Amino acid sequence: MTKQVPAYQRIKNAILDNIHSGKWQAGEAISTEMALAEEFGVSRMTVNRALKELSEERVLERRQGSGTFVAQQQFNHTFVEVRNIAQDLRSANRDYQAQVVSKRVITASMLDDELRRKFAIDSAATTGERSAADSSAADSSAAVLYEVKIIHFADAQPIQFEERWVDAQKLPEFIEQDFSIINTSEYLIAKSPLERGSYTIRALAAPDDIAALLQIAPQSPTLVLRRQTYSAGKVLTFVKMWHAGERYQFAGEL
């Protein structure tokens, strides 16, 4: 599946890459709007949109008459602490693998009630709160969300089944990634600072399809973590993680 990345998003990605690589440090000025416009062959209006969105996401700080600077706060301070199952398992000296079950584009006509509520699709589309560039989300043929389903294995045994939805307008390149190699949480944190989140954990009997994926008996106990995380004040991603109850536990320190 090939999709052209909007020019403003390419500029955002390039700026984030420069920051994460250390080329631009916290407090340092980045290239001027004019220089970025020349580099990417776009108008200053397009550059302005990229800088404005990164400022709203608290990645950059724009100072009147002085330029645009990398925000002083360290990025891990603005991230929600999201556990990376790949890193956790490797840290425990267990062999980790991921199998992508499916990836697809979700259009407005395909949304169920839960996803509409989570991403506020209905209210945004009817009140006009989305920006002009995001108005395509109301088009029934346009990508509104991306969906991926992944099985995570520990020592060749399925331990977690991940169902994830991501705002397609915010991260148009998400669907192109190979998530058998790249961990979804790691990718999201690298590409868009996560400001806050909320989650619930419930014990549920495994439906037949989930049980088959986790290689457990139907109606076996599972722990289901449901989490939504925000960037720039809006839900960026919503995920359901199904864990085989006899193979997984949640633990932490107070």
Side-chain angles (χ1 to χ4, degrees), residues 139-163:
D139 186 335
S140 61
S141 65
V144 176
L145 303 177
Y146 293 136
E147 176 192 86
V148 294
K149 297 185 178 183
I150 303 166
I151 306 173
H152 301 274
F153 294 82
D155 300 329
Q157 188 175 50
I159 193 171
Q160 180 193 93
F161 174 57
E162 172 183 354
E163 299 178 281

Side-chain angles (χ1 to χ4, degrees), residues 141-233:
S141 65
V144 176
L145 303 177
Y146 293 136
E147 176 192 86
V148 294
K149 297 185 178 183
I150 303 166
I151 306 173
H152 301 274
F153 294 82
D155 300 329
Q157 188 175 50
I159 193 171
Q160 180 193 93
F161 174 57
E162 172 183 354
E163 299 178 281
R164 184 182 294 275
W165 296 268
V166 172
D167 188 324
Q169 300 295 314
K170 289 182 178 292
L171 286 177
E173 295 177 294
F174 178 84
I175 200 68
E176 306 295 340
Q177 308 309 307
D178 182 353
F179 291 114
S180 64
I181 298 174
I182 302 170
N183 181 266
T184 50
S185 294
E186 187 175 15
Y187 179 83
L188 289 167
I189 289 173
K191 290 298 182 182
S192 187
L194 306 180
E195 297 169 352
R196 61 186 178 90
S198 60
Y199 69 89
T200 62
I201 300 173
R202 295 182 62 192
L204 295 176
D208 290 356
D209 57 339
I210 302 297
L213 293 167
L214 290 175
Q215 298 177 19
I216 57 179
Q219 302 303 303
S220 293
T222 63
L223 293 173
V224 184
L225 185 151
R226 296 159 56 96
R227 182 177 66 220
Q228 57 195 40
T229 48
Y230 294 76
S231 181

Side-chain angles (χ1 to χ4, degrees), residues 84-99 151-160 180 183 247-248:
N84 180 339
I85 190 171
Q87 183 177 344
D88 286 348
L89 291 174
R90 288 169 180 148
S91 297
N93 295 316
R94 303 188 67 179
D95 181 58
Y96 169 76
Q97 289 181 309
Q99 175 188 334
I151 306 173
H152 301 274
F153 294 82
D155 300 329
Q157 188 175 50
I159 193 171
Q160 180 193 93
S180 64
N183 181 266
R247 302 175 195 155
Y248 203 95

Side-chain angles (χ1 to χ4, degrees), residues 5 16 18 23 30 48 64 110 121 155 172 207 226 234 244:
V5 179
L16 287 169
N18 283 339
K23 179 179 178 180
I30 71 167
N48 185 273
Q64 187 68 33
M110 297 164 63
I121 300 298
D155 300 329
R226 296 159 56 96
K234 297 181 180 179

Side-chain angles (χ1 to χ4, degrees), residues 3-215:
K3 179 179 179 180
Q4 185 174 1
V5 179
Y8 80 91
Q9 186 65 48
R10 288 192 289 110
I11 298 169
K12 287 181 66 175
N13 292 344
I15 291 171
L16 287 169
D17 288 344
N18 283 339
I19 294 171
H20 295 153
S21 69
K23 179 179 178 180
W24 291 337
Q25 300 287 333
E28 291 183 352
I30 71 167
S31 301
T32 64
E33 282 191 14
M34 184 175 296
L36 289 170
E38 291 178 358
E39 178 181 350
F40 288 91
V42 298
S43 68
R44 291 186 62 176
M45 183 180 298
T46 300
V47 174
N48 185 273
R49 176 179 175 182
L51 299 184
K52 181 176 182 292
E53 290 194 4
L54 287 173
S55 297
E56 291 173 349
E57 293 167 12
R58 297 187 292 181
V59 175
L60 299 177
E61 179 184 353
R62 307 181 78 180
R63 302 174 191 170
Q64 187 68 33
S66 299
T68 304
F69 298 78
V70 180
Q72 288 285 350
Q73 68 268 18
Q74 297 298 311
F75 288 99
N76 59 343
H77 290 174
T78 63
F79 291 157
V80 177
E81 184 178 3
V82 175
R83 303 303 302 175
N84 180 339
I85 190 171
Q87 183 177 344
D88 286 348
L89 291 174
R90 288 169 180 148
S91 297
N93 295 316
R94 303 188 67 179
D95 181 58
Y96 169 76
Q97 289 181 309
Q99 175 188 334
V100 178
V101 176
S102 64
K103 296 196 301 184
R104 65 171 180 159
V105 168
I106 303 291
T107 64
S109 62
M110 297 164 63
L111 290 169
D112 60 23
D113 290 341
E114 181 179 38
L115 292 177
R116 287 183 185 278
R117 288 195 306 271
K118 290 293 183 185
F119 290 89
I121 300 298
D122 279 340
S123 60
T126 57
T127 63
E129 290 175 359
R130 283 180 176 256
S131 66
D134 292 340
S135 62
S136 61
D139 186 335
S140 61
S141 65
V144 176
L145 303 177
Y146 293 136
E147 176 192 86
V148 294
K149 297 185 178 183
I150 303 166
I151 306 173
H152 301 274
F153 294 82
D155 300 329
Q157 188 175 50
I159 193 171
Q160 180 193 93
F161 174 57
E162 172 183 354
E163 299 178 281
R164 184 182 294 275
W165 296 268
V166 172
D167 188 324
Q169 300 295 314
K170 289 182 178 292
L171 286 177
E173 295 177 294
F174 178 84
I175 200 68
E176 306 295 340
Q177 308 309 307
D178 182 353
F179 291 114
S180 64
I181 298 174
I182 302 170
N183 181 266
T184 50
S185 294
E186 187 175 15
Y187 179 83
L188 289 167
I189 289 173
K191 290 298 182 182
S192 187
L194 306 180
E195 297 169 352
R196 61 186 178 90
S198 60
Y199 69 89
T200 62
I201 300 173
R202 295 182 62 192
L204 295 176
D208 290 356
D209 57 339
I210 302 297
L213 293 167
L214 290 175
Q215 298 177 19

